[in-house]
Amino acid sequence: MEFRWKRNLFILWIGVFFCGMAYTLSIPFIPLFLQEDLGIHSRLEIWSGVTFSVGFLASALIAPYWGSLADKYGRKPMLIRSGLSLSVVYFITFFVHDPYIFIIVRILQGLMAGFIPAAIALVGTNTPDKQVGYALGVMSTATAAGGILGPLVGGVLSHWVGTRECFMVSGCIMLISAAIALVGVKEVHEKPKGARPSVFKDLKQAAGNKQLVWVFGMTLLVATSVMILEPLLTLYVIEIGGSAKGASLSSGIIFSAVGVATVIMGSRWGIIGQRIGYDKTLYIGLIGGGIGNLLQLGAHNLIAFGVLRFSYGLFFAAVYPALNALIVKYSEAEFRGRAISLNQTSSQFGMMAGPMLGGLLGGWIGIQFVFLITGVALLGAAVSMKVSSMKEAKRVTSG
């Protein structure tokens, strides 16, 4: 077991790295693709928000079904299924010339997604309990590392050869992820005995666990806070001084700043969480993320904005490893895989709502104020968490 989980962690880290790179190489530049290749010049913020959101909505709705199949057949088949199908979808996107067809392809991409959740679930179910926090912290750095290289490569490619070609490169990279999963991953999968509970029964079981419901809600909020800015960052780079011609390269560097910070701190937060508790690291991450967003209100040039995004990332890197570890902590072993799938559904709903809200708010009140709303929401979540923990401690003491 000792060797196997470490080997899987190493192999899956590489696979998730390539998957994250494939995504961030092309998807963050959707606003430019809409504008330059698909001819959208009016209501660009709203179009960007919709095209981001529909993929995540589709992914949220289909996630429980993929989770059910994963319980039945294992997580490794889901890795291979997602890797191959996402590769095909990226290739198809290269040939899209109509914005409405592009929305349909984005929905298809959402339906086929699931590589990273399957990898996280496999790590969570094939790693010794005492090492889960560390392993999930390490896995968070894989997505972040891909998020460093992806925007940089995508920014250069988009700048020199065009945004459309980025989708073709993303497709090739996803093929690598699928091949890594096929050849390198070893899973110990125990097929559940008896009939697999329905999604409704899973929701009912989860609803009876207040701690799990709280984590699902926090995941929804966090995912929304991250994705509310996703369709706006490239446009904001232009707004604070980046040229339209060089926006892809500048925004690629900005996108990478958070990834660099997460690689630096992701695994460290996992270790810190094992020592002081994942609830405390989550609290620190929420406070740092909230303050980081508020400080970005004062950034009026690209260098300052990049530095603040990096600083925000150093603290926010604590959030996802802590949430994943709390899912493992609060769920029973036989329900753990399904709990992770339900949490992924919460995340996908947040990823769906975020871009939609960002697109609407960015076009209505201005992109800068979206940072204010996000910062206040994260700080509010931290305060709520602190109050709840104090009430629980008081109840335990008095009881």
Side-chain angles (χ1 to χ4, degrees), residues 2 26 53 75 84 134 136 170 192 230 271 278 296 346 360:
E2 184 73 14
S26 54
S53 295
R75 277 88 194 171
L84 291 176
Y134 165 75
L136 293 174
S170 291
E230 191 85 357
I271 295 171
Y278 298 110
Q296 289 170 59
S346 296
L360 292 172

Side-chain angles (χ1 to χ4, degrees), residues 352-372:
M352 176 273 296
M356 188 71 74
L357 288 172
L360 292 172
L361 292 173
W364 177 39
I365 61 175
I367 298 174
Q368 197 171 26
F369 287 99
V370 178
F371 288 101
L372 174 63

Side-chain angles (χ1 to χ4, degrees), residues 84-166:
L84 291 176
S85 56
L86 283 176
S87 177
V88 172
V89 173
Y90 280 127
F91 289 143
I92 291 173
T93 308
F94 175 81
F95 298 100
V96 172
H97 292 274
D98 181 88
Y100 294 100
I101 298 297
F102 183 53
I103 289 177
I104 293 173
V105 173
R106 284 285 296 146
I107 293 172
L108 181 61
Q109 183 175 349
L111 292 174
M112 295 296 103
F115 188 95
I116 293 177
I120 291 173
L122 198 152
V123 169
T125 55
N126 279 246
T127 301
D129 288 347
K130 65 179 181 179
Q131 300 292 346
V132 166
Y134 165 75
L136 293 174
V138 170
M139 286 300 293
S140 73
T141 68
T143 308
I148 295 170
L149 195 56
L152 292 177
V153 174
V156 171
L157 285 175
S158 180
H159 181 70
W160 290 108
V161 300
T163 308
R164 184 176 299 276
E165 284 70 18
C166 293

